[in-house]
Amino acid sequence: MMLPEHTCASNVCLGHCASSTVLALPSAAALRGFPSTPARGKLPPLPLPTTRSLALWGWRSVPPTAGRLLGPGSKQHLQQLLCSFLPGLFACVGCMPRRTLRRERSRVSSPVPTCAATLLLQRLQDQEGDRAQAYCELESALCQDSSRPPCGVVNRLLAEVSRDLTAAQGVTSNVKTAASNVLVSLARTHFTLVMAELQSHLKATGDMSKEFVLITLSNLFSAYAPQCIPFVWLMLAGLRSVVGQVKSGQILRIACAVLKQWLDGVKNYLSSGMQCPWTAMEKEQSYENLHELLFSVVWNWQDCQEEKDKQAVLGAVAAMLEVLLQEEQHQEQVWEQLLWLVHPCQEIQDTCRVAKSLTIFLEALGGIESLIPGDKFLDVTTAVFYQLYDDSKQHSEADRAQLTHCIMLQARICPEETILFLQSQLGDDWEPGCVAALGLLGALARSDEPMMTEMLPQVVEAVQRLCSDPSIRVRTAILYFIKDLLSSNTRSCSAWDVVGHLFREFSRATGRRATGNLSAREAQEEGALQELCMDILGSLDVSVRGMSKLLWPRLLLFVVPAQYTGMLIPVSRCVCALAEREELTGRRIEHLDRHFVSSMFQGPLLTPQTLLARLLVVAGSPVAGSQLQAAALLLMKNLHSRFHRAVGAMWATEIPLLLQCLEGRNESFPDTAEFERRLLKFLKASLDAIEERAWIEALSCELSQRLSSSASSSAEKSFLYGALGTVLGSCKGVLHVQEKLLQHLEEANAEEPCEAQGIISLLSHAAESNFHAVLATLTVFASRLCKGRNARISRRKKMELDSTRAHATRSALMLAHSSVALRASKEQLLAHLEGDIVGNILMLYSCSCRDLQNNLALVQSITDCSSAFQAVGDSASFNPSLKGKLLEILMDLMKKYYSGIPVSPVPLKVVLALEQLCKLKPSSESKDLREMLVLCCKNIVTHPSAEMMLKIRKSQQAAQYLQLQQTSLKALGRLMVVLLETEPSGGFFQNIVHVLQKSMVSSNVWERKRALQTCSQLLAVCEELQRRDACEHFGSLVGLLAPLTCDPMPASRQMAVTCLSSLLRIQAKATNTEVETGDIGSLCEGLHACSIASQLQTTSQMAMIVCRNFPLERTVDFMTAIKEAIRKANGVRVRAAGKWMTTFLQMHGKDISWNVPPILYILRSITSFAQQSTFLPFLCQAVVILTRRHTEAVMHNFSRPLGPTDSETWRRIREFCLQRWSQ
């Protein structure tokens, strides 16, 4: 549009945005029917809208055609708009048509009158003063009723305000707020211009802030809602550009709020009965823009992360849906768009993005009252559900969660249809669909939807029909459904025992794993399913209404069966939680289901004894694990009143101590055996508190039944034997005790080691309080096993008595007799040990086949009986003849295994038995003791050989045998202590040294080590007893020990030094002197060096210390022992012997003149040994030392003629000495 030629440029003060918007308004009005500016620019304040007058839109005069509707784009319509618009446009630019100016020239002195708004605008343009303050003053001026700034000022003001309002930076929020308020005030008189300016900013691109533009639009609608309604279509188009530019944050929330505000206003305007301000085309265009904006918002703003952003988007979408769904003609389009959102899920991979859009749509849809058509709902549900269980899509957890959320939203909108659809999927043969439906139904049950609560019984019935499905995925999904069901609604569980299903599923998985036919993956899946069963039961919230009635006392039904053992941990947690709520002890039994309680506690199904026996077995089984054991103990503690009224106080004190033991807090119970002992002690104390004969006998019958039905290899059987023995020990009925003992003696298969040990445990525990009954039972049963020895019996019976099982039973009975003896009191032992106990043992041994098992049982029985007799404190009363007979048996065993089977545990065990038996008085004869000691040393020290030791160390029983050997060596040392105490003569010590001497010079390194260990123990005993036997053999012991200081084995070198140190201390005490030059033990570090030279240097230093304290009267013994060591030794040991010999001769050579002839004889005999080449330097040095110190004696000896046995080496040494010293 061209301006008049005479219009001055100074009179046109339009900003860029304002001018472009104003120039665009005629065409916009022509197309959309927007109201134009009134003629001559004299727009009065906007009146309230009415439905009858076109002056509603601010026209001063109504065109003649206003009474009828003119179609958009018609000629008459365009003329109308142009006539209405041009005067307003002229007023905006501050000019009028020429004839108007002529007419009013006399009345108007200036086209732009001076006013307050003009002055304030000038301040803003000149950047003078506080802009916020200027805007506030301008707002106040514009609010005056008489204030109407000229249009030229308005356009300049719009340009100035727009710069502040849209500035991206450099303008404070206070200034922007004040500028926004100015626009709202300005709209009172120039609404169209303000709206056009704001709409242009919405559509603008580039670096421009639109936050306060949106805020101004919101405030504008709040002030002039009726005038804003016709601009909704333009507002929607402008917001679409905002949606494409903004992704999150404050501007997004403001845009959503503005959109919701305007759409709510439109909805209220239309619902109030007012006439629609739009033409048919305008209305259709508005709905089209709204459709486009709706899906633009859903698609662009679906990735909002902050909750405030999500809520703002949902509010805006809901507002748009409410407007669109008000008319039926647009509802169909909304549902089509909804399906459009769903179907891309089936083609594209970005399922999560589509699901997010659908989620926003459904969440908004759920907030309005509108029903989705059934066919459309089914299409949407089917498509989303297909995506959820389609394994080929490989959805992430986030995708699955989003799809699940969509189904939940559909259930919120159409709950009945959703539940029926999911329920229909349960009957489908497609496993993924069934699993997905179960998961969704569980989520709905957890959500407490009213319709789901109403339909839950039939859903539960449908799920129950799937319980027999073999698929691991379906079984797992059912368990998760039960978890959801129990967490929210226990009332629906009455028709289906869901708790029982947990236990049955656990047992089912246990059975499948026990078959061993599963692959590794299948076994892992079954294990995970068991863990899930335990987790569901253990995580139940007992505070949920009806949960206590559902669980108690039904849980007790699953405690006793062994297949539910693993579930005791969650059962214990549930019972503990119920006990804390006083649902167990605080409520009387009469308040529960009487028939159920009666069947549990009084009938054959579940008695207190049955329950206690089961929990005791679990608590005492180490294979179960500490957690399971603790769960059993906690169940006993919380259910104490269900067992017996007398145990409550004691269990409240003792069970926490047992729990501490399991948790490792108490170091006094380091192993499983100690815990079992403590648990049986706890059981014994409980029975003493109960003191009811019938109750205790019923418990023994229950344990006896469990013992009989348990497999030999079961882990619980060992504890059952001890527990039954403890209970039988508390029984008062002797006949009942004997009956049960005989029953299990006959049933037990003693060929199984665990069964044999169980019988021993049973009898020994029962004997603690029923000694005579147990001993009588043992005597009767032993007589049955031995009655065929002198009587005539049938062949079948003879074969039965000679069977392997019978011999194994005899061995077990021998050990049982000795175990009973260990638990007997002094009076009982003195009265029955020799005749009944030992007599029965010997009788059983005489009837046995005397194999390894029988021999070991006999030796162990003798050991235990001897220990038991010592424990009573009256060892002097033991029968001498019986002792001699037992010693004879042990010696025969020692001889047998020494000559025939060297590698056997029998000799080692015999030493242990001899140790205990020799402590019993009266003592045996010296001859017998010497023979016994020699045999013991030969069996323990001499054997096994080096070759056999290598085989032993490579065998599987190596650790066990070596440990037993060490134990036997220590026992041999203790036996020597006993013998030294009972045999005061010195000849006994000499015999020991003589026996050890052969082993100390042996070529077997293991034998030398064992001999040194025995020697160290012997010398330690002599030192402790202050016996001088060792002093008499000082020289020979030093001569034997000296080469061993350089033994190949480090342990042997260490023990050789230990022996030498003991000898020096014994010698010092015997002579009342102190060891000169310190202790040789401090030099041990040098012996551990890898260098042979270092070892020899260290042993020379030790030799000097020992020789300074050497009694010279033992010189010949020393030299003789050195000679024997050289004869048997080789390598470094020979050199060590030479070092010790030459060191001794250098230190004491001048003081041993009377020993020169025997020393020369010993040296001459050494030259005939094979090791003479190694020893020759030391031999020559020794001869030279003696010749220099005792020349006359040596020359006299050399002057004698040589014998026929003298070696060539000795001849040369003799010739050299005669030639050198005869001059």
Side-chain angles (χ1 to χ4, degrees):
M1 181 180 221
M2 299 299 294
L3 295 178
E5 296 178 359
H6 64 274
T7 304
C8 298
S10 60
N11 292 335
V12 183
C13 304
L14 293 174
H16 174 70
C17 293
S19 61
S20 62
T21 303
V22 172
L23 292 175
L25 279 175
S27 60
L31 293 174
R32 304 300 176 194
F34 278 10
S36 59
T37 307
R40 298 184 180 89
K42 298 179 181 180
L43 183 66
L46 290 173
L48 293 175
T50 64
T51 60
R52 300 298 181 185
S53 175
L54 291 179
L56 170 68
W57 308 115
W59 294 355
R60 285 186 61 105
S61 61
V62 180
T65 58
R68 66 179 184 272
L69 294 176
L70 301 177
S74 64
K75 185 176 181 180
Q76 294 85 350
H77 191 205
L78 291 174
Q79 289 177 353
Q80 264 188 349
L81 292 175
L82 190 59
C83 292
S84 301
F85 183 76
L86 287 178
L89 178 61
F90 294 145
C92 290
V93 299
C95 61
M96 291 185 181
R98 184 170 302 172
R99 67 180 177 181
T100 304
L101 287 174
R102 288 174 183 169
R103 189 185 315 125
E104 299 183 0
R105 184 172 298 169
S106 60
R107 295 186 290 110
V108 181
S109 60
S110 173
V112 182
T114 303
C115 60
T118 305
L119 297 176
L120 291 170
L121 175 61
Q122 191 64 39
R123 283 175 54 188
L124 291 171
Q125 290 177 335
D126 295 340
Q127 304 290 330
E128 296 178 359
D130 186 357
R131 295 183 69 81
Q133 182 63 33
Y135 278 133
C136 290
E137 295 176 6
L138 183 57
E139 177 188 1
S140 178
L142 292 174
C143 289
Q144 296 178 8
D145 293 337
S146 60
S147 174
R148 179 177 179 78
C151 288
V153 175
V154 169
N155 284 293
R156 298 202 316 271
L157 181 60
L158 287 174
E160 191 68 28
V161 171
S162 296
R163 279 194 294 271
D164 288 337
L165 197 68
T166 60
Q169 56 186 0
V171 180
T172 64
S173 59
N174 290 337
V175 174
K176 289 187 177 184
T177 302
S180 174
N181 293 337
V182 167
L183 288 181
V184 175
S185 299
L186 183 61
R188 185 176 65 88
T189 56
H190 298 78
F191 182 85
T192 303
L193 291 178
V194 172
M195 178 61 70
E197 185 75 12
L198 293 175
Q199 294 298 333
S200 68
H201 293 322
L202 281 183
K203 295 181 179 179
T205 58
D207 190 11
M208 176 185 294
S209 174
K210 299 185 180 183
E211 178 180 353
F212 278 86
V213 175
L214 293 168
I215 292 175
T216 307
L217 284 170
S218 177
N219 295 335
L220 201 63
F221 191 90
S222 299
Y224 311 110
Q227 288 74 21
C228 292
I229 297 298
F231 290 89
V232 168
W233 74 273
L234 189 59
M235 178 71 175
L236 296 176
L239 285 176
R240 281 190 60 191
S241 64
V242 175
V243 171
Q245 297 172 13
V246 178
K247 297 301 181 182
S248 63
Q250 178 75 9
I251 299 179
L252 180 146
R253 294 194 288 272
I254 295 174
C256 290
V258 171
L259 177 60
K260 187 176 185 303
Q261 180 190 28
W262 280 60
L263 291 178
D264 288 345
V266 171
K267 183 185 69 173
N268 294 333
Y269 184 88
L270 296 178
S271 63
S272 64
M274 295 183 182
Q275 183 179 355
C276 179
W278 304 315
T279 65
M281 183 177 293
E282 293 169 355
K283 185 177 180 179
E284 186 64 28
Q285 184 63 43
S286 298
Y287 276 109
E288 182 180 347
N289 287 349
L290 187 57
H291 273 291
E292 293 176 358
L293 179 61
L294 170 63
F295 290 98
S296 178
V297 168
V298 170
W299 189 256
N300 286 282
W301 287 351
Q302 61 180 333
D303 295 323
C304 296
Q305 300 298 325
E306 294 188 13
E307 187 61 28
K308 291 181 180 180
D309 294 351
K310 293 179 181 178
Q311 295 301 323
V313 172
L314 285 177
V317 172
M320 287 186 281
L321 287 175
E322 284 185 300
V323 174
L324 289 172
L325 295 176
Q326 278 188 340
E327 297 187 17
E328 294 183 3
Q329 59 183 0
H330 298 288
Q331 290 180 3
E332 186 66 24
Q333 189 175 359
V334 172
W335 306 138
E336 292 298 331
Q337 294 289 353
L338 177 61
L339 292 177
W340 178 86
L341 282 176
V342 174
H343 287 303
C345 294
Q346 303 174 12
E347 289 85 16
I348 65 176
Q349 294 297 323
D350 192 4
T351 305
C352 184
R353 186 169 182 81
V354 179
K356 284 180 180 180
S357 301
L358 183 61
T359 299
I360 295 175
F361 195 100
L362 291 172
E363 286 183 351
L365 197 61
I368 63 177
E369 296 180 0
S370 180
L371 295 177
I372 305 178
D375 57 338
K376 300 295 189 297
F377 173 81
L378 185 60
D379 289 343
V380 172
T381 305
T382 303
V384 177
F385 186 77
Y386 170 79
Q387 288 299 313
L388 186 61
Y389 72 75
D390 187 7
D391 293 337
S392 64
K393 294 290 185 179
Q394 297 181 353
H395 297 308
S396 65
E397 290 298 325
D399 292 349
R400 291 187 179 277
Q402 199 69 45
L403 291 169
T404 302
H405 186 52
C406 288
I407 297 288
M408 298 298 292
L409 290 173
Q410 294 177 68
R412 190 180 303 165
I413 299 171
C414 300
E416 184 175 0
E417 291 80 357
T418 305
I419 295 171
L420 290 176
F421 172 80
L422 294 176
Q423 187 175 340
S424 67
Q425 302 302 313
L426 297 180
D428 199 349
D429 295 334
W430 187 244
E431 178 187 289
C434 182
V435 171
L438 284 169
L440 292 169
L441 287 171
L444 288 172
R446 192 173 61 250
S447 65
D448 286 335
E449 290 287 340
M451 182 58 68
M452 185 63 185
T453 304
E454 181 181 341
M455 300 182 65
L456 198 54
Q458 68 184 62
V459 172
V460 169
E461 183 180 354
V463 174
Q464 188 178 0
R465 290 194 289 267
L466 298 174
C467 291
S468 59
D469 196 302
S471 168
I472 188 70
R473 293 184 61 189
V474 175
R475 291 162 59 197
T476 303
I478 292 174
L479 291 177
Y480 277 113
F481 174 79
I482 291 176
K483 183 178 182 179
D484 295 330
L485 188 65
L486 290 175
S487 66
S488 59
N489 195 320
T490 58
R491 295 189 299 275
S492 302
C493 302
S494 57
W496 178 26
D497 183 13
V498 292
V499 176
H501 179 77
L502 293 177
F503 285 91
R504 285 187 289 273
E505 195 60 62
F506 182 89
S507 175
R508 182 181 179 184
T510 303
R512 283 176 55 82
R513 295 180 70 185
T515 59
N517 299 327
L518 303 179
S519 63
R521 183 182 62 82
E522 291 174 335
Q524 185 178 3
E525 290 175 346
E526 295 291 344
L529 192 140
Q530 287 181 307
E531 293 290 337
L532 179 58
C533 292
M534 296 173 62
D535 177 68
I536 293 173
L537 187 61
S539 61
L540 290 181
D541 184 4
V542 297
S543 63
V544 175
R545 183 180 177 184
M547 185 64 72
S548 59
K549 184 177 180 180
L550 180 69
L551 295 178
W552 182 257
R554 182 180 284 108
L555 283 178
L556 293 180
L557 288 173
F558 304 101
V559 173
V560 175
Q563 63 266 30
Y564 306 134
T565 299
M567 293 288 280
L568 284 182
I569 295 176
V571 167
S572 176
R573 293 174 184 169
C574 290
V575 172
C576 288
L578 290 171
E580 291 177 358
R581 294 172 54 85
E582 298 184 351
E583 296 287 345
L584 304 179
T585 57
R587 196 162 48 144
R588 301 180 63 183
I589 296 180
E590 289 80 4
H591 295 165
L592 302 175
D593 186 346
R594 295 184 179 181
H595 299 288
F596 187 71
V597 174
S598 176
S599 65
M600 285 170 49
F601 289 101
Q602 297 177 12
L605 181 61
L606 185 62
T607 64
Q609 291 83 1
T610 304
L611 188 59
L612 179 59
R614 174 62 179 150
L615 294 177
L616 280 173
V617 168
V618 175
S621 176
V623 180
S626 59
Q627 289 187 348
L628 202 56
Q629 290 176 288
L633 290 173
L634 285 172
L635 279 173
M636 292 170 60
K637 179 176 179 290
N638 290 302
L639 300 176
H640 64 86
S641 60
R642 306 292 176 179
F643 297 106
H644 199 278
R645 61 183 180 276
V647 298
M650 192 204 74
W651 284 12
T653 304
E654 293 296 328
I655 289 180
L657 297 177
L658 293 172
L659 291 173
Q660 288 181 9
C661 173
L662 287 174
E663 294 172 2
R665 298 177 184 173
N666 195 335
E667 297 181 356
S668 61
F669 305 105
D671 53 17
T672 302
E674 183 61 27
F675 176 76
E676 181 178 324
R677 185 195 66 79
R678 180 62 185 269
L679 186 60
L680 292 177
K681 183 180 179 182
F682 162 78
L683 174 60
K684 181 68 169 59
S686 303
L687 297 175
D688 292 342
I690 292 174
E691 292 183 340
E692 287 187 17
R693 176 173 176 175
W695 199 99
I696 296 175
E697 288 184 357
L699 179 60
S700 68
C701 291
E702 180 63 34
L703 290 171
S704 176
Q705 181 180 358
R706 283 185 169 275
L707 182 59
S708 299
S709 60
S710 297
S712 300
S713 58
S714 64
E716 63 183 29
K717 196 158 191 176
S718 174
F719 177 78
L720 273 172
Y721 273 115
L724 178 58
T726 302
V727 176
L728 290 177
S730 299
C731 288
K732 304 300 181 184
V734 175
L735 294 178
H736 176 79
V737 173
Q738 291 180 335
E739 177 187 356
K740 292 298 178 184
L741 291 178
L742 286 173
Q743 173 190 342
H744 291 289
L745 283 172
E746 292 172 352
E747 292 177 354
N749 181 11
E751 292 181 90
E752 298 286 341
C754 57
E755 292 274 351
Q757 188 59 42
I759 287 295
I760 297 169
S761 176
L762 170 67
L763 294 167
S764 59
H765 282 94
E768 286 189 1
S769 301
N770 275 317
F771 176 81
H772 293 94
V774 172
L775 185 59
T777 305
L778 280 173
T779 303
V780 170
F781 197 72
S783 299
R784 292 182 187 177
L785 290 175
C786 298
K787 68 178 183 180
R789 181 174 52 176
N790 298 321
R792 298 181 62 184
I793 56 175
S794 63
R795 176 182 295 181
R796 185 183 64 82
K797 188 65 176 177
K798 183 174 178 60
M799 292 178 62
E800 182 179 327
L801 292 175
D802 289 340
S803 64
T804 306
R805 179 172 178 175
H807 290 302
T809 304
R810 293 186 183 99
S811 298
L813 286 181
M814 284 189 278
L815 294 172
H817 277 85
S818 60
S819 182
V820 168
L822 289 172
R823 295 177 181 268
S825 64
K826 178 178 180 179
E827 294 75 13
Q828 294 168 345
L829 195 65
L830 293 176
H832 299 280
L833 178 64
E834 298 175 359
D836 297 328
I837 297 177
V838 177
N840 286 345
I841 291 173
L842 295 178
M843 177 182 69
L844 290 166
Y845 181 70
S846 64
C847 298
S848 66
C849 61
R850 303 189 182 186
D851 59 358
L852 177 63
Q853 185 180 5
N854 294 136
N855 291 333
L856 287 174
L858 173 66
V859 173
Q860 186 63 47
S861 300
I862 294 175
T863 304
D864 293 341
C865 288
S866 302
S867 300
F869 202 83
Q870 294 174 52
V872 301
D874 196 4
S875 58
S877 62
F878 197 81
N879 189 338
S881 61
L882 181 59
K883 179 181 178 182
K885 186 174 183 180
L886 295 177
L887 283 173
E888 182 181 355
I889 294 173
L890 294 175
M891 296 293 287
D892 290 342
L893 286 174
M894 189 73 79
K895 293 175 182 178
K896 171 184 176 182
Y897 282 93
Y898 173 70
S899 58
I901 312 173
V903 182
S904 171
V906 174
L908 309 179
K909 292 281 189 179
V910 168
V911 173
L912 299 175
L914 288 173
E915 176 196 354
Q916 300 299 327
L917 191 59
C918 288
K919 293 179 180 179
L920 304 180
K921 296 180 180 179
S923 303
S924 303
E925 296 181 1
S926 300
K927 179 181 178 181
D928 297 333
L929 295 179
R930 292 191 185 96
E931 182 183 0
M932 178 179 62
L933 183 63
V934 171
L935 279 175
C936 287
C937 289
K938 286 182 178 180
N939 278 276
I940 303 301
V941 178
T942 308
H943 293 280
S945 63
E947 295 78 8
M948 192 60 68
M949 278 297 297
L950 291 176
K951 293 181 180 179
I952 292 173
R953 293 176 70 86
K954 294 179 181 179
S955 65
Q956 296 180 351
Q957 295 80 19
Q960 182 180 359
Y961 182 85
L962 293 175
Q963 183 179 3
L964 180 60
Q965 189 181 60
Q966 289 298 315
T967 304
S968 302
L969 283 169
K970 294 178 181 178
L972 180 59
R974 294 192 298 269
L975 176 61
M976 289 188 295
V977 173
V978 175
L979 298 179
L980 287 174
E981 290 177 345
T982 57
E983 182 61 41
S985 63
F988 185 74
F989 185 87
Q990 182 179 355
N991 291 332
I992 297 176
V993 173
H994 179 71
V995 172
L996 293 177
Q997 180 178 356
K998 296 181 180 179
S999 298
M1000 293 174 72
V1001 297
S1002 171
S1003 59
N1004 183 355
V1005 293
W1006 304 101
E1007 183 178 350
R1008 294 199 302 270
K1009 178 184 175 182
R1010 294 190 291 267
L1012 282 169
Q1013 184 174 347
T1014 306
C1015 182
S1016 65
Q1017 294 180 95
L1018 176 65
L1019 293 175
V1021 171
C1022 291
E1023 185 178 357
E1024 181 181 356
L1025 299 178
Q1026 296 184 356
R1027 293 186 55 139
R1028 299 189 177 184
D1029 306 68
C1031 297
E1032 299 178 3
H1033 301 276
F1034 188 91
S1036 57
L1037 287 173
V1038 170
L1040 293 172
L1041 295 170
L1044 297 177
T1045 57
C1046 290
D1047 193 88
M1049 274 195 173
S1052 297
R1053 298 197 293 267
Q1054 179 66 43
M1055 283 186 287
V1057 174
T1058 302
C1059 293
L1060 289 171
S1061 299
S1062 297
L1063 273 176
L1064 290 176
R1065 289 192 296 269
I1066 294 173
Q1067 178 68 20
K1069 289 181 181 179
T1071 57
N1072 293 324
T1073 58
E1074 293 184 0
V1075 179
E1076 296 183 16
T1077 65
D1079 185 12
I1080 63 173
S1082 60
L1083 302 174
C1084 286
E1085 186 175 353
L1087 293 179
H1088 297 321
C1090 298
S1091 171
I1092 295 178
S1094 178
Q1095 294 180 14
L1096 291 173
Q1097 182 180 359
T1098 304
T1099 194
S1100 298
Q1101 295 174 2
M1102 292 181 178
M1104 295 176 65
I1105 296 175
V1106 173
C1107 291
R1108 287 191 181 95
N1109 301 274
F1110 199 95
L1112 297 181
E1113 62 271 17
R1114 307 299 175 189
T1115 301
V1116 176
D1117 297 339
F1118 169 72
M1119 295 298 296
T1120 303
I1122 285 289
K1123 181 189 73 171
E1124 289 298 318
I1126 293 172
R1127 185 170 65 89
K1128 297 290 184 66
N1130 53 33
V1132 183
R1133 285 188 293 146
V1134 174
R1135 297 169 65 182
K1139 287 281 187 182
W1140 278 74
M1141 183 185 69
T1142 54
T1143 301
F1144 173 78
L1145 293 177
Q1146 286 176 350
M1147 296 179 66
H1148 299 290
K1150 62 181 180 179
D1151 301 325
I1152 54 173
S1153 57
W1154 65 89
N1155 287 325
V1156 171
I1159 293 175
L1160 289 174
Y1161 178 77
I1162 292 171
L1163 294 175
R1164 184 175 62 180
S1165 61
I1166 292 175
T1167 58
S1168 62
F1169 298 163
Q1171 293 82 357
Q1172 62 166 328
S1173 58
T1174 305
F1175 191 73
L1176 184 59
F1178 304 102
L1179 180 65
C1180 296
Q1181 186 178 0
V1183 173
V1184 169
I1185 293 172
L1186 286 176
T1187 305
R1188 287 178 176 176
R1189 302 291 171 83
H1190 306 281
T1191 306
E1192 184 178 352
V1194 172
M1195 291 297 102
H1196 177 71
N1197 187 281
F1198 282 164
S1199 61
R1200 297 176 182 176
L1202 293 173
T1205 59
D1206 290 336
S1207 64
E1208 183 63 25
T1209 302
W1210 184 253
R1211 292 175 184 271
R1212 292 179 180 180
I1213 292 174
R1214 174 177 176 272
E1215 292 176 358
F1216 172 78
C1217 291
L1218 288 175
Q1219 183 180 359
R1220 174 75 179 271
W1221 276 278
S1222 61
Q1223 299 175 359

